[in-house]
Amino acid sequence: MKNFALIGAAGYIAPRHMKAIKETGNQLSVAYDINDSVGIIDSISPESEFFTEFERFQEHAWRLNRAQKTKLDYVSVCTPNHLHHAHIAAGLRLGCDVICEKPLVPTLEILNELRTIEKETGKKVYNILQLRHHQAILDLKKEVDAAPKGKKFDVDLTYITSRGKWYLESWKGDPRKSFGVATNIGVHFFDMLHFIFGNLEKNELHYSDELKAAGYLEYEKARVPWFLSIDANDLPDSVIGKQTTYRSISANGKQIEFSAGFTDLHTISYQEVLAGRGYGIDDAEHCIKTVEHIRDGKTVQASENHAHPFLAKLL
């Protein structure tokens, strides 16, 4: 049984990590968050220590590390995006391997800093890239891998997840903290595209504001117009009044259905990490490079073949 600490226990994604720790037969020893709305711990690991001040959390972790029985093995990081680097570094320096939500960090420069800290501590960083474990994605990858050499799939990526006015008031609406909508809601899709279709060859940004972004990605084996939005006004007429989220990925006109099957992906990710097969810094590098380019790049006019169908109503 491994001992875990969790940083960011009050966040949206934290319960999936708590559940994964429990379902893999391990123990959540201590958790931390500046927010004390963490009642979910009672149903998962009621004996866990909890702190709302990082200094007290860190001091408790050092005390745990004095004895082999209580020594922390892993730190799970579920904090806002801009804090990932600092909390990963703290976990590594506690002598723990670290499991972190995506985006791991915002830039390749900071990613290389994590590489340095890995070497200094002898510990390892793992990134949750759960779509790589989804069966529908694995099936598509198998189909793509079997395709003739040189074949490129025509892929369309659309993801609209309606958010209320709270979103822009939260850290997610602050580009200094979330790194913008394309990074915050798109990074795992961009990782998925790389996982299936190979290295990125072209990256165009066609539109970007605080609510949505659109562009074009071309991989070794795919051409991908993409559209990401948190604006309910972008929902297609076919779903308005029925659902607040619209997710669509098609390859050569065939819809890839992966709305189901998300429930256990964090647990599978933890199982892979514990078995020594987790995704590390090198695996995360490609999608970090992709979103860094999108975030820093200038918009260009889309050619007819590269434009996402939803782009026309924005221009």
Side-chain angles (χ1 to χ4, degrees):
M1 185 175 68
K2 302 295 183 182
N3 294 318
F4 279 76
L6 191 149
I7 302 176
Y12 162 78
I13 206 66
R16 296 189 193 180
H17 287 257
M18 296 180 196
K19 180 171 173 278
I21 291 167
K22 181 178 181 180
E23 291 185 345
T24 53
N26 297 297
Q27 174 173 284
L28 177 60
S29 299
V30 56
Y32 158 76
D33 202 294
I34 60 172
N35 190 318
D36 60 9
S37 298
V38 292
I40 186 68
I41 293 177
D42 291 343
S43 62
I44 296 176
S45 184
E47 300 302 316
S48 302
E49 297 291 341
F50 174 73
F51 299 94
T52 57
E53 295 164 324
F54 191 78
E55 294 83 357
R56 293 179 63 217
F57 160 80
Q58 198 166 37
E59 179 61 24
H60 182 76
W62 279 113
R63 288 200 301 271
L64 291 176
N65 283 351
R66 288 176 180 158
Q68 191 61 37
K69 182 179 179 181
T70 59
K71 184 180 185 298
L72 294 173
D73 300 290
Y74 290 90
V75 172
S76 297
V77 175
C78 307
T79 47
N81 299 348
H82 70 298
L83 297 175
H84 285 179
H85 172 244
H87 289 150
I88 291 169
L92 293 172
R93 289 170 177 147
L94 277 170
C96 302
D97 291 327
V98 177
I99 301 172
C100 184
E101 272 296 332
K102 59 204 165 299
L104 200 60
V105 288
T107 67
L108 294 180
E109 180 182 4
I110 299 176
L111 190 71
N112 286 329
E113 173 65 15
L114 289 183
R115 283 193 171 100
T116 298
I117 302 172
E118 277 192 333
K119 291 176 182 177
E120 290 171 347
T121 60
K123 294 299 177 178
K124 189 168 175 60
V125 180
Y126 297 98
N127 199 192
I128 295 290
L129 302 173
Q130 76 269 32
L131 286 182
R132 295 189 182 203
H133 301 301
H134 196 291
Q135 192 56 52
I137 303 305
L138 293 172
D139 291 344
L140 178 58
K141 179 173 171 55
K142 185 176 180 181
E143 179 183 343
V144 171
D145 289 346
K149 187 176 181 179
K151 176 182 174 62
K152 287 206 176 189
F153 288 72
D154 288 309
V155 177
D156 181 285
L157 167 63
T158 308
Y159 181 52
I160 303 164
T161 177
S162 307
R163 294 290 185 263
K165 294 178 181 180
W166 69 268
Y167 187 97
L168 295 180
E169 291 296 320
S170 74
W171 67 265
K172 296 181 180 183
D174 184 343
R176 298 169 301 174
K177 296 179 179 180
S178 69
F179 313 120
V181 68
T183 299
N184 195 46
I185 70 169
V187 67
H188 57 300
F189 290 115
F190 298 140
D191 172 71
M192 175 200 72
L193 292 169
H194 161 61
F195 177 65
I196 298 172
F197 299 109
N199 290 327
L200 186 62
E201 298 176 341
K202 183 177 290 187
N203 187 342
E204 296 178 355
L205 179 64
H206 299 155
Y207 184 90
S208 181
D209 64 23
E210 62 184 0
L211 300 178
K212 64 199 78 174
Y216 173 80
L217 298 167
E218 187 163 335
Y219 294 87
E220 292 175 83
K221 299 179 181 180
R223 294 176 286 262
V224 190
W226 59 269
F227 181 85
L228 303 168
S229 174
I230 59 166
D231 186 353
N233 294 316
D234 292 321
L235 289 169
D237 292 340
S238 59
V239 303
I240 290 177
K242 301 175 184 176
Q243 60 195 59
T244 58
T245 296
Y246 176 77
R247 183 191 292 112
S248 173
I249 297 179
S250 63
N252 287 353
K254 177 184 176 183
Q255 192 70 24
I256 310 303
E257 177 51 54
F258 66 107
S259 296
F262 276 92
T263 309
D264 300 319
L265 294 184
H266 276 72
T267 296
I268 294 171
S269 297
Y270 270 66
Q271 289 170 343
E272 292 296 296
V273 168
L274 291 161
R277 298 187 297 265
Y279 291 116
I281 284 177
D282 290 344
D283 300 294
E285 181 172 351
H286 194 280
C287 62
I288 290 172
K289 183 178 180 180
T290 301
V291 295
E292 184 178 10
H293 180 89
I294 291 170
R295 195 168 55 248
D296 296 341
K298 295 182 178 180
T299 57
V300 299
Q301 185 173 351
S303 66
E304 183 178 351
N305 293 335
H306 293 180
H308 189 279
F310 286 24
L311 181 64
K313 62 181 182 180
L314 303 180
L315 302 176

